[in-house]
Amino acid sequence: MTRVAAACAKDAEHAGLIALTDGLKSLIAYWAGRYGDAYHYAGQGVEMAAHLQGTVGVWLMGLQARAAAALGDSEPARAANTEADERRERVVPDDLDSLGGLFTYPVEKQLYYSVECEALLGHGSAETVALAERAVEGFSDPTAASWAFGDLAGAQCDLAFVRLFSGDLDGAAAAMRPVLDLPVSHRNNGIVVSAQRVRAALATGSVNGAVVARDLRAEIEAFPATRLALPRG
């Protein structure tokens, strides 16, 4: 479907849509664990969006930073995030931004992406934890135009992640509770992947043998990825 969208964008000669479809390719590759591909597609989109003024270019830099962080490349990740922050200051909303949804990249989501970069790089400083708390707070209002349950759950998983790196096991468990309480219908692949990252972190370091860590690992392990199939007949 993304290839079809890309072909339509090219036929329409709409640079913003072409860049956006590169972002969608990067997003799909990222959640599939193909971080090299995610970085490539994001970079391709950044080039296409170089002269655009809307938020799609900022989003692509965020995607590029996050993919670099997943690859363990801290310098490219930080550079992309810095450039995204600078570009945010020059944003002039365009026709894509007016559509909303996936066509725009709100400040709240940019903070969530930035925090995820720090989490993927294993950083858990007090400053990072504070930013992660802000990212969760940014999605606290379900009536806001920028709200999405997937982004909220992702931000909560990242908060748990960075709290673990700072040694706050109870805080990590508290951050994960709303995610683990999501109805089965809302447990999409991105949320499951984010939760499994927390599970992996619980198996390392000084928290490994703690009862809270063992119980949380077991609960995340049982966290289903998809809704149950309907019985036949």
Side-chain angles (χ1 to χ4, degrees):
M1 291 176 68
T2 304
R3 291 192 184 99
V4 171
C8 292
K10 289 177 181 177
D11 286 345
E13 299 182 352
H14 193 295
L17 282 174
I18 295 170
L20 188 136
T21 56
D22 284 328
L24 290 177
K25 292 175 188 176
S26 177
L27 193 67
I28 292 167
Y30 175 79
W31 290 116
R34 302 198 312 271
Y35 303 125
D37 288 344
Y39 187 83
H40 166 74
Y41 288 126
Q44 191 169 275
V46 166
E47 291 181 9
M48 176 59 66
H51 301 295
L52 302 179
Q53 294 182 298
T55 63
V56 65
V58 187
W59 178 52
L60 285 155
M61 289 172 187
L63 289 168
Q64 190 176 45
R66 197 166 65 167
L71 291 167
D73 296 333
S74 59
E75 289 305 317
R78 293 277 173 77
N81 273 331
T82 297
E83 191 174 353
D85 289 340
E86 293 172 353
R87 185 158 179 166
R88 171 67 69 175
E89 298 298 319
R90 305 190 301 272
V91 161
V92 177
D94 59 12
D95 55 339
L96 294 181
D97 289 305
S98 67
L99 294 173
L102 283 174
F103 295 93
T104 190
Y105 185 53
V107 173
E108 295 85 356
K109 195 161 187 172
Q110 185 174 353
L111 178 58
Y112 156 44
Y113 274 37
S114 296
V115 169
E116 186 146 302
C117 286
E118 297 301 311
L120 290 168
L121 292 170
H123 299 151
S125 66
E127 181 183 2
T128 302
V129 171
L131 288 174
E133 290 170 348
R134 277 181 51 202
V136 171
E137 185 180 353
F139 293 114
S140 62
D141 181 4
T143 66
S146 60
W147 186 84
F149 78 87
D151 291 339
L152 173 59
Q156 288 165 332
C157 288
D158 288 342
L159 175 57
F161 214 2
V162 297
R163 280 179 174 172
L164 280 177
F165 291 134
S166 69
D168 183 5
L169 177 56
D170 290 337
M176 285 301 296
R177 176 47 45 203
V179 179
L180 296 172
D181 288 343
L182 282 171
V184 174
S185 60
H186 285 54
R187 299 174 188 180
N188 61 33
N189 180 63
I191 294 173
V192 171
V193 169
S194 296
Q196 292 302 326
R197 288 174 180 158
V198 177
R199 177 173 173 264
L202 286 163
T204 62
S206 59
V207 303
N208 184 24
V211 174
V212 173
R214 291 202 304 268
D215 290 347
L216 190 54
R217 281 203 311 271
E219 193 168 359
I220 296 173
E221 186 175 5
F223 192 65
T226 57
R227 69 185 70 189
L228 297 175
L230 291 173
R232 292 187 179 182

